[in-house]
Amino acid sequence: MKSVQVSVIIPIHNQEKYVGRCLRSLLKQTIPEGDYEIIVINDGSTDNSVEALKPFMGDIRYIENEKKLGLPSSLNIGIKKARGQFIVRVDADDFVHWDYLKILSMHLQLNHDIDAIACDYQLVNDQQDILEQVNCLEKPIGCGIMFRIDQLIDIGLYDENFKIWEDKDLRIRFLNKYNFSRVQLPLYRYRQHNDNLTKDEINNQNYTEKLKKKHDL
């Protein structure tokens, strides 16, 4: 398979309501079509997510896990299948600006001293109203960050023991060896709704303690 510049990794579990909006935003990117790929990993969806994906099957690389493996495992599967030199994650309930891939990849292409580039983001609700614009370094999230694939492989990808806070664990390990830079543009739309995984307070507390223990925080 021919290599591309950017691989977009989209893990999906029961996101029939949102995934179409996500993919439409990625298929309208200003980066040339042949320069990027979209890899969707279906992690055991039990709703109509597969039906929602059908109109896009000709434009995406589709992977279906035989059983539900969890978010970090699905992300790792996508990265291992990627053909791009740059990797960026987009969650299925979010969407992006049409210059998202172009601007982030240009920073990595032209600045070899930048290891990963993150963009600011806007919090939006289910009606896509903008609630807040957020500095990505002050309040980091797991998406809206483009990495060099070789460096992700070097640090061991996502820790599959972290079913949540996988992004925080990755960030700590990444920053032990590499650097993040910021694009002061809100290119990512981070959807806030009642189903967000991070709203589970007991799980949050358990994995926060696990994170502290692993990294001696």
Side-chain angles (χ1 to χ4, degrees):
M1 265 186 166
K2 189 177 97 171
S3 63
V4 294
Q5 187 180 88
V6 179
S7 294
V8 183
I9 311 297
I10 306 176
I12 176 171
H13 176 73
N14 292 349
Q15 295 290 352
E16 62 171 300
K17 182 177 175 182
Y18 303 112
V19 69
R21 178 69 182 92
C22 174
L23 289 172
R24 285 193 297 275
S25 74
L26 286 161
L27 291 170
K28 292 178 180 175
Q29 293 295 297
T30 53
I31 188 174
E33 185 180 331
D35 285 356
Y36 72 104
E37 64 178 354
I38 301 169
I39 302 175
V40 176
I41 306 95
N42 182 6
D43 188 32
S45 293
T46 55
D47 65 353
N48 289 318
S49 290
V50 175
E51 287 297 315
L53 288 170
K54 278 185 177 178
F56 305 98
M57 285 299 186
D59 298 306
I60 64 175
R61 292 178 62 196
Y62 178 70
I63 299 168
E64 187 165 333
N65 296 340
E66 291 182 3
K67 61 179 182 179
K68 189 174 187 302
L69 300 176
L71 179 56
S73 298
S74 296
L75 288 166
N76 285 345
I77 287 168
I79 294 168
K80 288 171 185 175
K81 294 286 187 182
R83 296 179 291 143
Q85 58 178 311
F86 306 141
I87 299 288
V88 67
R89 165 185 166 186
V90 176
D91 282 354
D93 52 351
D94 299 335
F95 55 102
V96 297
H97 188 275
W98 54 81
D99 281 326
Y100 174 66
L101 297 181
K102 180 179 180 180
I103 290 173
L104 294 187
S105 62
M106 190 178 294
H107 276 76
L108 293 183
Q109 256 188 315
L110 300 179
N111 297 288
H112 296 288
D113 58 334
I114 294 177
D115 295 322
I117 187 78
C119 65
D120 287 351
Y121 58 95
Q122 291 173 334
L123 285 177
V124 299
N125 61 18
D126 271 349
Q127 290 71 47
Q128 300 181 24
D129 302 318
I130 297 169
L131 307 176
E132 183 184 355
Q133 186 162 313
V134 185
N135 179 319
C136 63
L137 296 184
E138 291 178 358
K139 293 182 180 178
I141 55 174
C143 307
I145 309 164
M146 189 173 284
F147 296 93
R148 300 182 190 275
I149 191 169
D150 292 343
Q151 294 173 346
L152 280 182
I153 292 169
D154 181 49
I155 65 165
L157 305 183
Y158 287 91
D159 185 337
E160 296 180 6
N161 293 310
F162 281 87
K163 300 305 181 188
I164 61 172
W165 295 157
E166 77 296 326
D167 55 316
K168 295 179 185 292
D169 171 73
L170 184 83
R171 181 182 292 268
I172 291 168
R173 289 185 287 116
F174 191 87
L175 289 173
N176 282 337
K177 192 167 185 179
Y178 299 111
N179 67 67
F180 273 96
S181 290
R182 174 192 175 207
V183 174
Q184 200 170 336
L185 291 170
L187 302 174
Y188 196 91
R189 308 293 186 262
Y190 184 68
R191 195 187 296 269
Q192 215 172 42
H193 54 82
N194 291 332
D195 297 329
N196 284 60
L197 190 62
T198 49
K199 289 190 181 290
D200 186 334
E201 291 184 12
I202 295 173
N203 260 340
N204 284 355
Q205 188 173 351
N206 290 341
Y207 280 99
T208 298
E209 291 304 316
K210 191 172 183 176
L211 197 68
K212 288 177 180 177
K213 187 174 180 180
K214 177 178 178 179
H215 297 287
D216 196 25
L217 300 177

